[in-house]
């Protein structure tokens, strides 16, 4: 194992508010490591401490073997950063931003190649204000890659993007890792973490409540599955009593969700369809769902994803 980020008992408070409460973790070379959780969980504060933008109140942090506070200059030549609140002057053209920022690094990557690789060649003369949300994020990734970094920090990269742009950014992040880079990202989108990350730390109230691969975290739920369908009107009285094996019912408006365990003698979907048919219930849009990272989060914290 080759950790390039080492965090021990990191703590950061703002007055009486504890943003990061004694967390510890490592990031291995070549992986995509994610920190997930709702707004206010401590994700951005943690990543800013790793980048040297904020001074921790306690604990130790080493990034590429360096102290982000006392060796920030050396660290910035070896890391790339995309900040949550990134912005550029409205009239600055794409090529001007890349050319300017490349002058900040002694061994900068070829910004003209990045322009092509990130699909911005046609927008090279476009001012920043005229770029779409996805194009702006691609530009910020290009700026983060200019130092030819070993480690890339990406903070809330796809917030505010439509699904098509979000998937395009995910592909770019995967390509960054294929170039031999390590990626540390924060997000409050559980699907994003599940699709991208090798390992995920779930933060809540400034603490890590779980850390593992997405698959292992989901397995830890114990194999729950769901059957979801829509009904006209209400279900007959006693419908839930017809379910076996501890299955439980959740009704929200016209949508019904039946929760059950995997490995039942009779598959949950077969039991639900049989019960609906025998009771003459008209239903539509029936589908099965497997547990995901959002289920893990809600089980661990009993909190909604967005606050």
């Amino acid at each position: 194992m080759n950790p390039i980020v080492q965090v021990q008992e990191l703590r950061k408070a703002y007055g009486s508010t504890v943003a990061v409460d004694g967390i510890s973790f490592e990031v291995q070379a070549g992986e995509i490591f994610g920190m997930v959780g709702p707004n206010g969980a401590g994700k951005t504060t943690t990543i800013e401490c790793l980048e040297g933008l904020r001074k921790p109140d306690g604990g130790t942090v080493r990034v590429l073997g360096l102290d982000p506070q006392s060796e920030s200059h050396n660290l910035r030549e070896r890391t790339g950063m995309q900040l949550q609140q990134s912005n550029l002057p409205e009239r600055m053209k794409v090529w001007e931003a890349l050319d300017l920022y490349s002058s900040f690094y002694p061994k900068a990557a070829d910004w003209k190649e990045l322009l092509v690789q990130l699909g911005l060649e046609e927008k090279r003369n476009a001012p920043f204000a005229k770029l779409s949300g996805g194009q702006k994020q691609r530009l910020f990734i290009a700026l983060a890659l200019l130092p030819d970094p070993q480690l890339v920090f990406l903070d809330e990269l796809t917030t505010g993007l439509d699904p098509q742009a979000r998937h395009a950014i995910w592909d770019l992040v995967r390509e960054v890792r294929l170039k031999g880079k390590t990626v540390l990202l924060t997000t409050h989108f559980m699907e994003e973490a599940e699709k991208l990350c090798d390992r995920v730390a779930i933060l809540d109230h400034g603490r890590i409540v779980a850390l593992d691969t997405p698959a292992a975290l989901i397995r830890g739920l114990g194999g729950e599955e769901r059957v979801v369908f829509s009904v006209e009107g209400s279900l007959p009285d006693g419908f839930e009593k017809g379910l076996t094996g501890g299955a439980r019912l959740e009704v929200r408006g016209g949508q019904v969700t039946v929760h059950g365990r995997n490995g039942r003698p009779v598959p949950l979907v077969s039991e639900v369809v049989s019960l609906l048919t025998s009771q003459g219930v008209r239903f539509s849009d029936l589908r099965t769902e497997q547990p995901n990272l959002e289920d893990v989060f809600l089980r661990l914290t009993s909190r909604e994803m967005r606050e």
Side-chain angles (χ1 to χ4, degrees), residues 227-229 239 243 258 266-281 283 286-288:
V227 177
V228 183
F229 57 92
F239 181 86
L243 299 170
V258 181
V266 178
L268 182 62
V269 64
S270 298
E271 182 176 288
V272 170
V273 170
S274 177
L275 191 58
L276 289 168
T277 303
S278 66
Q279 296 193 9
V281 178
F283 63 92
L286 186 141
R287 65 186 186 276
T288 61

Side-chain angles (χ1 to χ4, degrees), residues 94-95 98 111-126 131-143 172:
V94 169
W95 77 266
L98 290 166
W111 65 261
K112 295 178 182 177
E113 290 184 6
L114 288 174
L115 200 67
V116 175
Q117 292 169 1
L118 296 179
L120 292 170
E121 176 65 27
E122 293 183 359
K123 295 293 181 178
R124 62 178 294 139
N125 291 312
L131 300 178
S132 68
Q135 290 165 346
K136 288 178 180 178
Q137 293 296 52
R138 277 186 275 162
L139 176 57
F140 292 138
I141 293 177
L143 295 175
L172 290 176

Side-chain angles (χ1 to χ4, degrees), residues 11-19 57:
R11 178 181 171 83
K12 179 65 180 179
Y14 303 100
S16 61
T17 301
V18 179
D57 296 327

Side-chain angles (χ1 to χ4, degrees), residues 197-242:
C197 298
D198 299 299
R199 290 189 301 137
V200 174
I202 299 178
L203 276 69
D204 187 33
H205 293 304
R207 297 182 178 180
I208 293 178
V209 296
L211 196 166
D212 212 325
T213 65
L217 290 170
I218 293 168
R219 283 197 303 271
L221 281 177
E224 184 182 79
E225 65 174 328
R226 298 183 293 268
V227 177
V228 183
F229 57 92
S230 299
V231 295
E232 297 179 5
S234 59
L235 290 170
D237 293 338
F239 181 86
E240 188 169 10
K241 293 181 179 179

Side-chain angles (χ1 to χ4, degrees), residues 11-78:
R11 178 181 171 83
K12 179 65 180 179
Y14 303 100
S16 61
T17 301
V18 179
V20 181
D21 191 8
I23 66 174
S24 301
F25 64 92
E26 292 183 345
V27 179
Q28 305 299 323
E31 75 173 335
I32 299 178
F33 184 92
M35 292 188 292
V36 303
N39 293 330
K43 306 182 302 296
T44 294
T45 296
T46 298
I47 206 170
E48 288 178 347
C49 288
L50 299 181
E51 294 167 336
L53 300 178
R54 293 194 185 275
K55 184 177 181 179
D57 296 327
T60 60
V61 176
R62 291 293 181 273
V63 179
L64 299 171
L66 303 173
D67 181 340
Q69 289 298 311
S70 63
E71 300 174 282
S72 60
H73 179 74
N74 291 335
L75 183 62
R76 286 179 184 141
E77 292 183 355
R78 299 170 62 188

